[in-house]
């Protein structure tokens, strides 16, 4: 297994009323990965505003360092329970802004994305959070790109709905870093025989919308949905699904009548079309959210698919809607 010599450092920022289950579901896969690899692949650390013991809603908890003492990190994840839309703490705000200024990738577990969103740190990024907060956050900030998904990876933002979804997101992270076979080993360590894909079940399942029945095809489509901003290669998709790229390609051709990567591009273009009509994002931002290398490249493919350049399409849609 190829892997970097230095461990990947993940900081968990604990807010009051965080869920111990959500946090441990994220931490335990990292511990298992280290154990199975026989060396330290991941190094978790824990932070709260003041440091010390941070109790969870269940009474258990973690020993933490003060947020202003945060060590160098490769990823910082906010873990929030209760009602994160009401959570305000100037020290957390300062700490997160420092991390953002350092260009450290950020994310949220359960309600953590709501904390980031209120600070303007999820603009132009697809993300998810616990279903209990989706409607309220969408009403408060209607321009956000919220998905009703288990987890979403959008460039430098990783978010999940909390609970066991944290385990699924960490397995996706481990698969990215160390391969799908190793990620499956980690999942099986917890009798979690199939890491769930991003699109199930918090979102209306893709399988139902497309009337898919083959489980390999379902997983492939759902994996694509979770990775629109940084499209996966055929080998990466097949590896995480658990079959060969050739076998998966045959399934796409047989059941959907289209090559796998053509289907993936169509999924990204449809999401872009939705963003063109329903948001005020710039065309460059939409290109980045949907995994196109430049605004010009995106505009060309969009025009071929929908008959108009995206900006003209937006103008047309707005005229039609009055």
């Amino acid at each position: 297994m190829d892997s970097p010599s230095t461990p990947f450092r993940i900081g968990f920022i604990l807010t009051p009323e965080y869920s111990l289950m959500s946090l441990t579901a994220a931490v335990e896969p990292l511990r298992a990965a280290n154990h199975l690899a026989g060396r330290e692949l991941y190094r978790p650390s824990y932070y709260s505003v003041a440091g010390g013991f941070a109790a969870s809603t269940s009474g258990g908890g973690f020993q933490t360092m003060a947020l202003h003492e945060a060590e160098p990190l490769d990823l910082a994840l906010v873990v929030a329970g209760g009602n994160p839309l009401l959570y305000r703490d100037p020290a957390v705000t300062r700490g997160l802004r420092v991390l953002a200024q350092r260009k450290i990738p950020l994310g949220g577990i359960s309600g953590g994305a709501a904390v980031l969103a209120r600070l303007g740190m999820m603009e132009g990024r697809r993300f998810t959070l616990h279903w209990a907060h989706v409607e309220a956050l969408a009403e408060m900030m209607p321009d956000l790109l919220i998905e009703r998904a288990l987890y979403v990876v959008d460039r430098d933002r990783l978010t999940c709905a909390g609970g066991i979804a944290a385990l699924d997101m960490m397995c996706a992270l481990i698969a990215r870093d160390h391969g799908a076979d190793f990620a499956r080993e980690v999942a099986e360590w917890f009798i979690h025989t199939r890491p769930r894909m991003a699109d199930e079940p918090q979102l209306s399942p893709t399988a139902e919308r497309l009337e898919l029945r083959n489980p390999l095809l379902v997983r492939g489509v759902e994996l694509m949905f979770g990775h629109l901003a940084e499209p996966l290669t055929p080998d990466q998709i097949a590896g995480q699904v658990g079959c060969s790229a050739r076998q998966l390609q045959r399934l796409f051709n047989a059941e959907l009548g289209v090559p796998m990567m053509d289907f993936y591009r169509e999924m990204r273009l449809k999401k872009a079309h939705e963003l063109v009509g329903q948001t005020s994002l710039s065309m460059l931002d939409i290109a980045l959210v949907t995994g196109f290398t430049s605004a010009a490249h995106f505009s060309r493919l969009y025009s071929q698919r929908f008959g108009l350049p995206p900006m003209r399409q937006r103008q047309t849609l707005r005229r039609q809607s009055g």
Side-chain angles (χ1 to χ4, degrees):
M1 179 181 62
D2 265 343
S3 45
S5 56
T6 57
F8 189 86
R9 301 158 300 181
I10 303 179
F12 294 93
I13 301 169
L14 313 184
T15 67
E17 298 187 83
Y18 75 90
S19 162
L20 187 61
M21 178 181 178
S22 293
L23 178 56
T24 53
V27 174
E28 284 297 294
L30 308 180
R31 180 189 63 82
N34 291 345
H35 173 77
L36 292 169
R39 57 197 178 88
E40 191 181 31
L41 301 179
Y42 296 94
R43 180 177 296 166
S45 53
Y46 310 94
Y47 301 92
S48 62
V49 171
F53 184 77
S56 73
T57 50
S58 63
F62 278 71
Q63 196 66 30
T64 66
M65 294 179 281
L67 182 55
H68 70 270
E69 298 173 350
E71 302 171 344
L73 296 171
D74 299 301
L75 172 65
L77 296 171
V78 180
V79 189
N83 186 348
L85 301 179
L86 300 179
Y87 179 67
R88 288 167 174 77
D89 191 305
V92 170
T93 298
R94 286 193 300 272
L96 289 172
R97 291 202 188 285
V98 168
L99 294 174
Q101 288 166 4
R102 293 176 184 169
K103 306 297 184 185
I104 293 171
L106 300 172
I109 293 173
S110 190
V115 177
L116 294 170
R118 288 190 57 258
L119 298 177
M121 295 180 181
M122 299 306 298
E123 292 178 1
R125 297 290 191 276
R126 295 170 63 242
F127 69 95
T128 192
L129 70 164
H130 193 281
W131 59 266
H133 311 303
V134 169
E135 290 185 8
L137 182 59
E139 184 174 345
M140 181 186 297
M141 305 177 73
D143 290 335
L144 292 175
L145 307 181
I146 305 172
E147 302 283 359
R148 292 179 180 271
L150 280 176
Y151 67 86
V152 174
V153 179
D154 189 340
R155 293 160 286 169
D156 56 352
R157 297 292 184 266
L158 287 80
T159 54
C160 73
I164 297 301
L167 192 156
D168 296 299
M169 182 174 75
M170 287 305 179
C171 284
L173 179 69
I174 292 167
R176 182 198 72 183
D177 294 344
H178 304 290
D181 289 342
F182 185 63
R184 278 197 296 275
E185 281 186 60
V186 171
E188 289 166 0
W189 189 258
F190 299 101
I191 325 297
H192 193 53
T193 53
R194 181 180 70 80
R196 297 174 298 168
M197 297 304 171
D199 199 24
E200 55 172 314
Q202 191 176 357
L203 189 70
S204 299
T206 300
E208 290 184 15
R209 294 200 300 269
L210 297 176
E211 298 183 349
L212 303 180
R213 294 293 177 264
N214 188 292
L216 296 178
L217 194 60
V218 169
R219 281 179 249 162
V221 169
E222 289 166 348
L223 187 61
M224 291 173 178
F225 178 84
H227 295 263
L228 295 185
E230 294 182 345
L232 303 172
T233 67
D235 286 339
Q236 287 172 326
I237 297 168
Q240 294 195 45
V241 164
C243 67
S244 70
R246 178 175 293 184
Q247 180 184 358
L248 195 56
Q249 184 67 266
R250 284 200 299 266
L251 285 172
F252 271 87
N253 287 330
E255 297 201 23
L256 294 171
V258 63
M260 175 166 56
M261 300 313 284
D262 287 359
F263 179 91
Y264 201 175
R265 185 175 64 245
E266 175 70 6
M267 178 184 285
R268 290 157 52 214
L269 284 169
K270 284 182 176 178
K271 173 56 68 174
H273 186 58
E274 175 187 321
L275 297 176
V276 166
Q278 298 181 12
T279 76
S280 57
L281 287 176
S282 71
M283 296 307 128
L284 176 58
D285 284 339
I286 293 175
L288 294 174
V289 166
T290 51
F292 295 99
T293 55
S294 69
H297 177 62
F298 163 61
S299 182
R300 179 174 60 82
L301 292 176
Y302 187 98
S303 299
Q304 290 174 356
R305 172 63 179 84
F306 297 107
L308 287 174
M311 182 56 76
R312 285 181 56 195
Q313 182 78 276
R314 174 176 284 173
Q315 293 166 350
T316 300
L317 291 171
R318 287 180 176 175
R319 282 198 301 270
Q320 291 173 349
S321 65

